[in-house]
Amino acid sequence: MKKKMLLLNTTVLLGLGGVLSTPTYASTIQDMESQKSQIQNQRQDVQSNIKAASDELTRLQAEQDQMKAQLERLTIAEEENNKKAQKTEADIKETSKQVEQLEKEIKLLQEKLEKRNDILKDRARSLQESGGNVEYLQVLLGSSSFGDFVDRALAVSTIVDADRGILKETKNMQDELKTKQADVKSKLASLEDMKAELDEMTVQLAAQKKQKDALAKELKDKEAKNEELKASLQAKDSSLANEQSTLEQNIKDQKAAEEAARKAAEQAQKAAAAPAEKADSSSAKAEAPKASSNDVAPTSAPAPKASNVVTVGNRWIGNSAYVFGGGRSQSDISHGLFDCSSFVHWAYSQVGVNLGPLGSVSTETLKHAGTQVSSSQMQPGDLVFFDTYKKDGHVGIYVGGGKFIGAQSSTGVAIANMSSGYWKQKFNGRVVRI
């Protein structure tokens, strides 16, 4: 009986051992572990791509920040230039009124002078008829012009006091007429310059608005692409994480079932009271995937120290905007808002050269700031002048190779080619060495 029972227990153990050793469990776990390893590898690749994408997003964000800053500069420049244009239009209207008023006053003076001329001629004839001084009459009637007539008459000592008073008044009227005529001429010249400048501003305002709109669209497109890329990578990583989690749970469940079967076998062995070796069952510890995405924001390299006037302005390329009359306050300079002459003044100040008061710097003051040299002797650092809306209307700094750097009305600070195209046509040959 004991022999039969022993044989039965041995058969049970052999049966359980066969279940525990069957490749079905081992193969399933191995497959899942293999799949888990593959997913971990895929996830590492994805996370590596996320890291690379994150770095790219950081770079793009920095680029977007620059674009936003430039957009703000262009907005400020547009506002300031519009104000300048409106003021110029108002100045043109006011100057036109002044010219119109002066022309009326000149006309009245001319009419008064003609009447004075008639009065003096009548007095001269009366003097002749009454036997007056012949010398006086010859002086009056022998003059080559009315101005000469007045000057001669004043020089004659025989003129009666009444005549002298009339002549003095006439002379004063003539002087006043000349002054008003000169004033009109000056205001008309100023008016022409203002109109030319306004035309230039109108063109550049349109260019700045176009640049601003294009930049805003580019910024919007990049932001949308960045968000799309980020969402796509995060979705893929989340999907892989879910797959990994499911596999880990399946492996855990499978190992739990295996452990339960092992314990059942042990209990069966104890129940049979048969000596048996305890089956070793070592469960592999699944290492949790260590995913690391230490995103380190790139640090910008320190700006190079300005070595000379040719390169010192490079920092403003792509980070500035053109403002008519800009660059004459610390606020404008801090925001990169220049016109051509204020940029040149700033650049030279960075290398220790003072080109006069910042508030009054202009192309007119700069062309007298140094020594005129021939364009054939042009060297980097020389000032170069261009006839744009007026003579010497634009100035920049020659950098060599037929190029110059300056605050350009359409782009802000930029390097432009003066060997061909627009700037070659506008270059007037004036070169000033500081």
Side-chain angles (χ1 to χ4, degrees):
M1 183 70 180
K2 287 184 178 179
K3 192 174 182 179
K4 288 184 179 181
M5 183 64 73
L6 180 62
L7 181 61
L8 179 60
N9 289 337
T10 302
T11 303
V12 171
L13 285 173
L14 288 173
L16 287 173
V19 171
L20 291 173
S21 62
T22 181
T24 303
Y25 287 106
S27 176
T28 302
I29 292 175
Q30 287 175 359
D31 287 345
M32 287 191 292
E33 289 284 4
S34 176
Q35 290 176 19
K36 175 184 172 183
S37 178
Q38 290 176 2
I39 288 176
Q40 285 177 326
N41 290 335
Q42 289 179 19
R43 207 174 165 204
Q44 285 178 352
D45 290 340
V46 170
Q47 288 177 344
S48 177
N49 290 335
I50 288 175
K51 174 65 168 62
S54 179
D55 291 342
E56 176 64 10
L57 287 171
T58 301
R59 187 192 68 78
L60 288 174
Q61 185 60 52
E63 183 179 330
Q64 287 175 343
D65 290 342
Q66 287 185 342
M67 291 172 68
K68 287 178 180 177
Q70 180 66 358
L71 198 58
E72 289 176 3
R73 275 189 287 270
L74 288 174
T75 300
I76 294 172
E78 185 178 29
E79 291 173 355
E80 292 300 318
N81 289 334
N82 274 321
K83 289 179 183 177
K84 176 68 175 176
Q86 290 170 3
K87 184 179 183 303
T88 302
E89 286 180 343
D91 290 344
I92 287 173
K93 290 180 180 178
E94 179 60 28
T95 304
S96 298
K97 289 180 180 178
Q98 292 175 5
V99 168
E100 185 178 349
Q101 181 61 33
L102 282 171
E103 287 175 343
K104 289 179 179 179
E105 292 175 4
I106 287 171
K107 185 177 179 181
L108 288 173
L109 278 173
Q110 287 173 335
E111 291 175 354
K112 288 181 180 180
L113 283 172
E114 287 176 2
K115 291 179 179 179
R116 288 296 178 103
N117 189 17
D118 292 340
I119 290 171
L120 288 171
K121 285 182 179 179
D122 289 342
R123 292 179 69 83
R125 291 192 185 92
S126 297
L127 183 61
Q128 183 182 23
E129 291 172 358
S130 61
N133 191 300
V134 176
E135 179 185 1
Y136 171 55
L137 184 62
Q138 287 176 344
V139 168
L140 294 178
L141 300 180
S143 58
S144 60
S145 66
F146 182 62
D148 185 33
F149 168 85
V150 174
D151 291 337
R152 287 182 176 218
L154 284 172
V156 177
S157 60
T158 57
I159 300 177
V160 295
D161 290 341
D163 290 343
R164 183 177 294 277
I166 293 174
L167 288 170
K168 281 185 177 180
E169 289 178 5
T170 304
K171 178 65 174 175
N172 291 338
M173 290 171 65
Q174 279 185 318
D175 292 340
E176 184 182 357
L177 178 61
K178 289 178 182 178
T179 300
K180 289 183 182 294
Q181 286 174 331
D183 195 13
V184 166
K185 185 177 180 181
S186 173
K187 287 186 180 298
L188 284 173
S190 174
L191 194 60
E192 289 301 317
D193 285 346
M194 284 191 288
K195 286 180 177 178
E197 186 178 15
L198 180 60
D199 290 341
E200 178 80 2
M201 280 190 284
T202 302
V203 172
Q204 298 310 329
L205 277 170
Q208 279 187 336
K209 186 177 186 307
K210 186 177 180 181
Q211 182 189 9
K212 176 186 168 185
D213 292 344
L215 194 59
K217 185 179 183 303
E218 184 181 356
L219 178 61
K220 186 177 180 180
D221 291 344
K222 282 192 174 184
E223 286 177 340
K225 288 180 180 178
N226 287 354
E227 290 300 324
E228 183 181 351
L229 174 61
K230 186 177 178 182
S232 174
L233 287 170
Q234 288 177 338
K236 188 171 183 180
D237 184 59
S238 177
S239 175
L240 287 172
N242 288 335
E243 287 185 40
Q244 181 177 330
S245 177
T246 300
L247 276 172
E248 288 174 347
Q249 185 61 45
N250 290 342
I251 290 171
K252 183 179 179 182
D253 292 345
Q254 190 71 11
K255 286 185 177 180
E258 183 179 298
E259 180 68 14
R262 187 185 65 77
K263 288 181 178 180
E266 289 179 352
Q267 289 175 357
Q269 285 179 329
K270 289 178 181 180
E277 296 182 355
K278 294 182 179 180
D280 294 333
S281 177
S282 57
S283 51
K285 294 182 179 180
E287 295 184 359
K290 296 181 179 179
S292 173
S293 58
N294 296 325
D295 298 340
V296 180
T299 57
S300 56
K305 185 177 181 181
S307 58
N308 57 57
V309 74
V310 174
T311 59
V312 71
N314 290 350
R315 60 170 289 195
W316 294 116
I317 296 175
N319 298 306
S320 58
Y322 187 94
V323 173
F324 289 92
R328 288 164 178 79
S329 68
Q330 190 54 51
S331 175
D332 279 359
I333 293 172
S334 298
H335 289 88
L337 306 176
F338 296 97
D339 64 11
C340 62
S341 54
S342 66
F343 170 75
V344 168
H345 187 285
W346 173 87
Y348 268 94
S349 72
Q350 299 306 294
V351 295
V353 178
N354 186 356
L355 295 181
L358 176 60
S360 58
V361 66
S362 66
T363 54
E364 191 66 24
T365 63
L366 290 176
K367 73 181 184 182
H368 300 297
T371 304
Q372 301 276 338
V373 296
S374 169
S375 59
S376 62
Q377 299 175 331
M378 192 159 46
Q379 297 177 1
D382 290 343
L383 303 188
V384 286
F385 290 80
F386 305 85
D387 293 343
T388 51
Y389 70 95
K390 68 175 182 177
K391 179 73 174 174
D392 298 317
H394 189 70
V395 63
I397 302 170
Y398 186 64
V399 299
K403 296 180 179 180
F404 76 100
I405 186 170
Q408 324 299 6
S409 54
S410 58
T411 60
V413 175
I415 294 176
N417 189 350
M418 57 184 290
S419 299
S420 62
Y422 175 82
W423 292 113
K424 181 180 180 181
Q425 296 173 3
K426 297 298 182 180
F427 178 51
N428 61 19
R430 186 189 298 280
V431 180
V432 173
R433 185 160 298 158
I434 302 300

